[in-house]
Amino acid sequence: MSKFKQQFLSGPYLIWIIGFILLPMAMIIYYAFTGSDGTPTLQYIAAIADETNRKALGLSLWLGVICTVICLVLAYPLAMILSNMHIKNQSFVVFIFMLPMWMNFMLRILAWKLLLSKNGVINSVLTGMGLSRINIINTPAAVVLGMVYDFFPFMLLPIYNALTRIREDWIEAAADLGAGKITIFFKIILPLSLSGIISGIVMVFVPSLTSFAISQVLGGGHVLLIGNVIEQDFMQGMQWNAGSGLSFVLMIFVIASMALVNSFDKEGEGTVIC
Amino acid sequence: MLKKCASRIYLFLMFAFLYLPILVLIVLSFNDSRSKVKWGGFTFKWYTGCFQDEKIMAAFVTTLQITFLSAIISTLIGTLAAIGIAAMKRKGQAIFLGATNIPLLNADIVTGISMMLLFVKFMDLGFVTVLIAHITFSIPYVILNVLPRLKQANISTYEAALDLGASPLYAFYKVTWPEIRPGVLSGFMMAVTMSLDDFSITYFTKGAGVNTLSTMLYTELRKGIKPELYALSTILFFAVLLLLLIGNVRPAKRSSERFDK
């Protein structure tokens, strides 16, 4: 088969791209920039400045940043410990830490709802020990906890992969040349794992910025993220133009934050997929 | 020594953080009491209840159908596309890979909504629209798993086979296929994983009557938690554990391939 003919094998995919990737994108942009009667308007893009929407977007960004930072702080030491383990079953230990990722997303949230609710498991343990209860269900704190639990593996994996690629010779060479442990960490380990950190940040920040299910279940309707506003526009209000406008703005924020994060990665290897 | 001790403690704490919630679900699934905190004795009744619950079973069957159909179709389209893309010139490759990145980089909620906007114009939302949506977001994972294998494969061996008189199909089956098979398999596995775990995109494209496990759980969670769901969680957890242990003699290899393509 010639190279020319071989290209035609991607024909079905080309149709798929046009029909189910590009066309839907065009639809959302069309709705975002037109009124319900079909006339062009910018009001639905500008609606992001309304108080509710602005607050929701601000809260989403804020919780997204907190969640990403917590994941990074928790995952980096764990990835270092895992990559430094010299036991026969290292791969099995790593597997243990990845396993919760394969559990259904909703079931993981269910577990936290169960733990955190007013008369839930954590509170009854606390009362049993004579301590005061914590009431964080239906607050942003519960939402962040749920996000951290859900997205933690997405931070752990890329960092762990980056760390295992650092060869021990390099660290030994640095030590032979007189570098202390701290110097080795900041001059060798951290820069060489940067691409992993950046992948991790993108893979945690984007879903936490745009999630709506976690805030709905663990926030009990009291925590309104931008995802919740969009979801309500579509599923309850039937305000497709308003929802598309906000989705478009959200898309811009996602692209901008990825561009910002990737600009720290000088070698350009830290994109989400590569 | 102190350092070793500290890292052991940290490992243990993270382990507890990841597994305590799951452990609580498992323990409660055997609890003969509707209370979340009182132990009312050992029972299997939530398990039998789970299998008799029509909603849960319907969602379970739909999930399996969607997952395997979408994984098979997306593996087919994706593998063919990867072979085609590999033969393209630089510019064509850039266009195709750019389009492939769109569903990967877009937020799930935006992908879901954009497809819903398209679907409602032409058909009723239901099983087929969910299936199309799942195929759409799975294809990129297949392509990104297969394409690197094709690039590593030596094209001269395929051409040599043709020169020696093999038909293109036979040469593909004998020469190219063995080289790309691991990529196709891991692409298929990732398509399965992504489809099983998806909530947002299904939520927007599913319409009224159809539910996968994720969307069924979401509706139930907003109403309150039924103990049958603990049983369901436990079954699914051990099913996944078993599948991964059987399917992965080298477990970490597969999990690291997920992002490391």
Side-chain angles (χ1 to χ4, degrees):
Chain A
M1 189 159 39
S2 72
K3 278 212 155 191
F4 180 71
K5 273 194 205 152
Q6 198 181 328
Q7 293 184 16
F8 283 101
L9 290 176
S10 46
Y13 182 49
L14 182 65
I15 296 168
W16 208 274
I17 289 177
I18 294 170
F20 301 118
I21 297 178
L22 298 181
L23 210 54
M25 281 290 120
M27 297 286 286
I28 215 169
I29 293 169
Y30 171 78
Y31 274 103
F33 286 95
T34 52
S36 45
D37 51 354
T39 48
T41 171
L42 283 178
Q43 73 175 99
Y44 296 114
I45 305 290
I48 192 68
D50 293 354
E51 206 193 341
T52 336
N53 298 340
R54 202 181 58 226
K55 269 194 186 155
L57 181 63
L59 186 64
S60 305
L61 287 167
W62 177 229
L63 295 190
V65 169
I66 296 179
C67 167
T68 312
V69 170
I70 295 178
C71 280
L72 181 60
V73 170
L74 289 179
Y76 202 93
L78 182 60
M80 278 192 71
I81 294 170
L82 290 176
S83 68
N84 284 331
M85 278 199 311
H86 295 286
I87 53 170
K88 219 171 80 193
N89 291 329
Q90 187 183 13
S91 60
F92 184 71
V93 178
V94 176
F95 169 71
I96 294 282
F97 280 91
M98 294 302 165
L99 182 61
M101 190 167 73
W102 271 280
M103 183 101 164
N104 189 291
F105 164 76
M106 274 297 152
L107 289 175
R108 285 178 281 165
I109 304 181
L110 159 75
W112 278 101
K113 183 161 175 156
L114 199 66
L115 286 170
L116 293 175
S117 59
K118 275 218 172 63
N119 302 309
V121 177
I122 290 182
N123 271 338
S124 50
V125 170
L126 286 176
T127 3
M129 294 196 307
L131 298 166
S132 62
R133 304 152 148 260
I134 47 162
N135 283 318
I136 66 166
I137 188 80
N138 299 349
T139 66
V143 177
V144 170
L145 196 54
M147 285 177 177
V148 169
Y149 187 73
D150 259 338
F151 304 137
F152 180 75
F154 296 118
M155 184 66 90
L156 182 62
L157 251 184
I159 296 180
Y160 172 78
N161 283 334
L163 285 175
T164 46
R165 270 188 234 121
I166 300 176
R167 289 179 39 194
E168 239 162 86
D169 323 4
W170 300 339
I171 292 167
E172 276 167 23
D176 288 347
L177 293 169
K181 283 204 160 129
I182 296 171
T183 320
I184 290 180
F185 178 76
F186 282 104
K187 291 275 179 189
I188 297 180
I189 299 180
L190 194 61
L192 285 174
S193 60
L194 194 64
S195 65
I197 295 176
I198 284 172
S199 299
I201 289 176
V202 172
M203 301 206 53
V204 171
F205 182 70
V206 172
S208 59
L209 175 67
T210 59
S211 102
F212 66 94
I214 300 179
S215 46
Q216 185 66 47
V217 173
L218 293 178
H222 300 285
V223 182
L224 202 63
L225 300 184
I226 190 72
N228 298 98
V229 178
I230 296 175
E231 189 257 347
Q232 284 169 9
D233 276 347
F234 277 99
M235 304 311 256
Q236 290 160 28
M238 295 299 280
Q239 293 163 312
W240 289 11
N241 302 87
S244 300
L246 293 181
S247 306
F248 185 76
V249 174
L250 185 62
M251 222 155 81
I252 303 292
F253 267 88
V254 169
I255 294 169
S257 57
M258 279 197 293
L260 182 74
V261 172
N262 278 326
S263 68
F264 288 101
D265 188 15
K266 287 166 204 124
E267 289 150 53
E269 21 176 79
T271 49
V272 193
I273 30 234
C274 300
Chain B
M1 194 60 222
L2 187 72
K3 202 181 149 204
K4 199 171 179 184
C5 201
S7 65
R8 281 284 146 84
I9 292 173
Y10 190 71
L11 269 184
F12 176 76
L13 285 178
M14 289 311 295
F15 180 80
F17 171 66
L18 290 172
Y19 280 91
L20 270 185
I22 298 174
L23 184 72
V24 169
L25 285 178
I26 295 175
V27 170
L28 285 181
S29 73
F30 295 110
N31 183 12
D32 194 5
S33 146
R34 278 198 172 261
S35 157
K36 281 172 274 193
V37 288
K38 281 201 196 78
W39 181 253
F42 190 87
T43 180
F44 275 115
K45 74 176 173 193
W46 307 128
Y47 287 86
T48 46
C50 172
F51 282 107
Q52 281 157 3
D53 190 315
E54 275 176 31
K55 258 194 217 156
I56 295 179
M57 279 297 118
F60 185 67
V61 172
T62 313
T63 306
L64 286 183
Q65 286 170 335
I66 296 268
T67 297
F68 284 101
L69 278 177
S70 73
I72 290 168
I73 298 174
S74 58
T75 306
L76 254 173
I77 299 180
T79 307
L80 286 177
I83 295 171
I85 292 172
M88 284 175 191
K89 300 216 172 70
R90 196 169 265 269
K91 204 172 169 191
Q93 284 197 356
I95 293 172
F96 266 85
L97 292 180
T100 304
N101 272 330
I102 294 176
L104 288 176
L105 301 183
N106 239 339
D108 280 359
I109 183 172
V110 177
T111 309
I113 285 171
S114 67
M115 283 201 247
M116 178 188 85
L117 288 175
L118 177 78
F119 291 149
V120 292
K121 287 266 172 212
F122 300 104
M123 51 180 126
D124 291 330
L125 295 181
F127 184 87
V128 178
T129 51
V130 176
L131 182 62
I132 293 176
H134 278 232
I135 295 171
T136 310
F137 72 70
S138 298
I139 293 177
Y141 293 103
V142 178
I143 293 184
L144 291 175
N145 273 294
V146 178
L147 204 54
R149 296 273 171 183
L150 277 167
K151 288 192 170 157
Q152 279 167 21
N154 189 351
I155 186 100
S156 332
T157 51
Y158 173 76
E159 283 164 1
L162 292 186
D163 289 346
L164 291 169
S167 72
L169 259 182
Y170 188 76
F172 171 80
Y173 178 68
K174 279 286 180 191
V175 178
T176 315
W177 175 245
E179 297 222 43
I180 64 169
R181 197 176 51 198
V184 176
L185 279 180
S186 58
F188 178 81
M189 282 309 293
M190 272 186 74
V192 169
T193 313
M194 291 297 160
S195 169
L196 275 180
D197 207 40
D198 177 70
F199 164 72
S200 307
I201 296 174
T202 315
Y203 179 72
F204 285 107
T205 51
K206 78 184 175 64
V210 184
N211 260 322
T212 62
L213 278 178
S214 300
T215 56
M216 183 273 295
L217 283 165
Y218 182 66
T219 329
E220 292 295 316
L221 276 183
R222 294 173 77 172
K223 283 192 239 158
I225 307 172
K226 287 195 293 187
E228 283 85 0
L229 297 181
Y230 309 149
L232 179 71
S233 322
T234 311
I235 296 170
L236 285 180
F237 178 74
F238 285 107
V240 167
L241 181 64
L242 201 69
L243 278 179
L244 286 172
L245 285 179
I246 295 169
N248 280 302
V249 193
R250 310 159 296 159
K253 188 84 171 78
R254 165 84 24 92
S255 57
S256 63
E257 265 170 27
R258 213 181 131 155
F259 297 103
D260 191 25
K261 281 159 272 152

